[in-house]
Amino acid sequence: MRKNYRYEGVHLTPKIARRLILDLLSGKTIRRRDIDTTVNSFHESRGGFPSTAKTSPIRTALRYLQEEGLAEILSKGPGSTWRIHETSDSTE
């Protein structure tokens, strides 16, 4: 487990998911299910807890990013594809 993970011991929320999407996927075009897998795996492998919300925090985070112009949906429906725009504050 990586030391000093900021969200260790914290349940995944839209705010955390938003940050992780930008940090891990900036500049990529990726399927929604791969976004879910990447964010959840990263968060939980570093000591974060899964979400307890009824609505997916990743779905909410993507909506926020889309509203901010930081992400766009390229195809809808099952197997939807997203483009996460590069930002100057994203770091891996």
Side-chain angles (χ1 to χ4, degrees):
M1 198 176 304
R2 190 171 146 192
K3 292 183 180 182
N4 300 323
Y5 177 56
R6 181 178 182 176
Y7 306 112
E8 183 177 354
V10 178
H11 291 280
L12 186 64
T13 64
K15 183 177 179 180
I16 295 169
R18 180 191 177 282
R19 178 78 262 149
L20 294 177
I21 290 167
L22 290 176
D23 287 350
L24 301 171
L25 304 171
S26 180
K28 296 185 179 181
T29 299
I30 187 168
R31 287 188 171 175
R32 166 61 198 277
R33 69 174 165 246
D34 295 332
I35 295 171
D36 291 350
T37 301
T38 300
V39 171
N40 286 319
S41 295
F42 183 89
H43 181 65
E44 292 176 29
S45 71
R46 283 158 179 76
F49 297 139
S51 172
T52 58
K54 291 181 181 179
T55 303
S56 166
I58 296 169
R59 178 181 181 186
T60 304
L62 286 168
R63 189 180 78 237
Y64 293 156
L65 290 169
Q66 186 177 26
E67 290 170 358
E68 295 168 31
L70 297 173
E72 64 181 305
I73 189 165
L74 302 177
S75 66
K76 295 183 179 184
S80 64
T81 302
W82 286 80
R83 178 177 297 135
I84 311 302
H85 299 294
E86 288 192 50
T87 62
S88 59
D89 66 337
S90 59
T91 56
E92 293 202 30

